C-alpha cells in the first residue's frame, strides 16, 4: 500500500469500526429522566458551565436559581453569540448539531429546541448510536444514587446496547457515611471495620454485581491516593474489593487525579485536577497479580509514568483521555506516546458522555486523531518493508475501539 492509500484505509477503517464506549454517564432509556439528551442538556453540560462563568459576572446563586432554559440561554449567549465557540466543549455542541443535519449557522436556539422536542428517547438512542457508530455503551451505575437504585431494585428488561459498571466512590472516599448506608440496607458493617465488616462489604459488592450484571467495578480517586496505606480506602481495597474481583472476575477501574469541589460555587463543574502517584497503582498491580486493573489519570503529567507501569504489569490496562485530557492536542500526544510504549494493548479513548447526543461529537473528534496516529505508526513499519494488510488494520482498530478491553476483562 502506498503511504497515501494506507492513510486513507486507516481513516476509513477507524470510521467504520463500531466502538464499545467503555465509560460514560449515559443510561438505558428505561431509567427515564436519568438519560439526558437534547439541546438544553448539551448546553448545560458542566464543561460549558465552567467556561461560561469565565465571562458571566452574575452571582453564582442567581444562575443556579434560574430555570434550566434561562441558564442555557445565558450559556448560549456568552459562549456562542458573544464569542466564537472555539473550545473543545463548545465545538462539540456544533458537531452534534451538524451531524444531526441541523444548520448551526442560523444561531437559532428556539428552532433547535423545537427540533429536539419531536424525538422519543428510544429512537434517539438508535439515531445517536448510528451517527457515532457505537455498538455498546458502558453506563456508570451506583447503588448510592437514590434515583438509580430503585430502578434496579424493581427490575426491568435490559437494552442490550447498554452495559453496566458498578461505581462505588463513597465506599473509598467517604467510608463512615457509606458504612451507615450499607447498614441501612441490611449489611452488618461497622465504621471501625470490626466484626464481619469486610465479608459484608463483599456481600454488598457481590449482590450489586449480580443485580446489574456489572462488566467491571470502578471508582474515581483524589491525587493523594496511596497504596499501601493505613487508610479506609486501602483497607477496603485489600480486604473487600480485591477478593471480590478475584471471585467474580471483575476488573477494578481506577480513575485517579480528581480534586472534587475546588470551587463549590460551580457545583458539578467545580472539580479540578492534581498530579497523582503512579507508584500506588504499580504497588496494587504487584500486590494483587491475580486481580485486573483498569486505569486512567486526569493529569497530563502522569501519563508517561502510567504507560511505563502498564509495560511492567500485564494485569493493568490503561484507557481513555479523561475529562480535561479530552482535547485534540492532548489526545494526539497521549495516543502517540501510548502506541510507542505499549503498542496496541490499550484503549485510547472513552467518551465520558453525560448527554446522549455527545456520543456523536466525542467519537467524531477522537476517531480522526486515533487514525492519524495509527497511520503514522504503520507508515513507519512500511518504511522497513512491513506492509500491514487491510485485515490486520481492521483487527488492530477493533482492538483499540473496545476489543482489547473486552479481551482484558474477559481474561481469567
Ligand atoms: O467527565 C466528567 O463528566 C466528570 O464529571 C466525571 O464524571 C468523571 O468522568 C467521573 O467519572 O468521575
Ligand atoms: Zn466519568
Amino acid at each position: 500500500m502506498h503511504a497515501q492509500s494506507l492513510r486513507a484505509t486507516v481513516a476509513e477503517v477507524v470510521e467504520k469500526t463500531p466502538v464499545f464506549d467503555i465509560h460514560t454517564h449515559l443510561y438505558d432509556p428505561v431509567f427515564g429522566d436519568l438519560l439526558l439528551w437534547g439541546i438544553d442538556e448539551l448546553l448545560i453540560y458542566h464543561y460549558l458551565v465552567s467556561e461560561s462563568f469565565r465571562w458571566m459576572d452574575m452571582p453564582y446563586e442567581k444562575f443556579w436559581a434560574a430555570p434550566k432554559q434561562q441558564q442555557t440561554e445565558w450559556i448560549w449567549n456568552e459562549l456562542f453569540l458573544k464569542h466564537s465557540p472555539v473550545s473543545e466543549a463548545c465545538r462539540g455542541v456544533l458537531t452534534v448539531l451538524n451531524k444531526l443535519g441541523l444548520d448551526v449557522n442560523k444561531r437559532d436556539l428556539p428552532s433547535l429546541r423545537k427540533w429536539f422536542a419531536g424525538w422519543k428517547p428510544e429512537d434517539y438512542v438508535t439515531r445517536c448510536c448510528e451517527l457515532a457508530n457505537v455498538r455498546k455503551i458502558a453506563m456508570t451505575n451506583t447503588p448510592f444514587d437514590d434515583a438509580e437504585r430503585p430502578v434496579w431494585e424493581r427490575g426491568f428488561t435490559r437494552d442490550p446496547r447498554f452495559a453496566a459498571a458498578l461505581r462505588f466512590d463513597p465506599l473509598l472516599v467517604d467510608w463512615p457515611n457509606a458504612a451507615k448506608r450499607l447498614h441501612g440496607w441490611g449489611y452488618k458493617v461497622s465504621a471501625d471495620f470490626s466484626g464481619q465488616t469486610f465479608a459484608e462489604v463483599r456481600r454488598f459488592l457481590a449482590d450489586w454485581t449480580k443485580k446489574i450484571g456489572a462488566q467491571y467495578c470502578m471508582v474515581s480517586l483524589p491525587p493523594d491516593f496511596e497504596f499501601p496505606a493505613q487508610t479506609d480506602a486501602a483497607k477496603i481495597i485489600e480486604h473487600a474489593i480485591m477478593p471480590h474481583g478475584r471471585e467474580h472476575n471483575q476488573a477494578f477501574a481506577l480513575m485517579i487525579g480528581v480534586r472534587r469541589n475546588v470551587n463549590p460555587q460551580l457545583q458539578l463543574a467545580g472539580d479540578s485536577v492534581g498530579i497523582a502517584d503512579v507508584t500506588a497503582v504499580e504497588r496494587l498491580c504487584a500486590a494483587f497479580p491475580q486481580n485486573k486493573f483498569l486505569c486512567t489519570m486526569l493529569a497530563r503529567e502522569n501519563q508517561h509514568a502510567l504507560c511505563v507501569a502498564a509495560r511492567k504489569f500485564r494485569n493493568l490496562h490503561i484507557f481513555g483521555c479523561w475529562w480535561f485530557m479530552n482535547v485534540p492536542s492532548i489526545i494526539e500526544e497521549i495516543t502517540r506516546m501510548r502506541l510507542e510504549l505499549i503498542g496496541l494493548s490499550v484503549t485510547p479513548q472513552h467518551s465520558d458522555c453525560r448527554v446522549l447526543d455527545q456520543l456523536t461529537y466525542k467519537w467524531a473528534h477522537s476517531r480522526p486523531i486515533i487514525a492519524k496516529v495509527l497511520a503514522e505508526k504503520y507508515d513507519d513499519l512500511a518504511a522497513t518493508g512491513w506492509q500491514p494488510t487491510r485485515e490486520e488494520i481492521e483487527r488492530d482498530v477493533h482492538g483499540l475501539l473496545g476489543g482489547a478491553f473486552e479481551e482484558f476483562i474477559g481474561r481469567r
Side-chain angles (χ1 to χ4, degrees), residues 23-25 45-47 140 167 169 218-220 255 258 260 268 271 322-324 350-354 362:
H23 170 58
T24 78
H25 298 264
Y45 187 32
H46 67 88
Y47 293 26
T140 296
R167 175 91 171 234
D169 291 15
M218 66 187 312
V219 70
S220 78
M255 306 175 77
V258 56
R260 298 281 180 200
L268 185 59
D271 301 340
W322 180 25
W323 200 343
F324 312 116
H350 69 269
S351 76
D352 233 310
C353 290
R354 282 178 177 266
K362 302 253 186 183

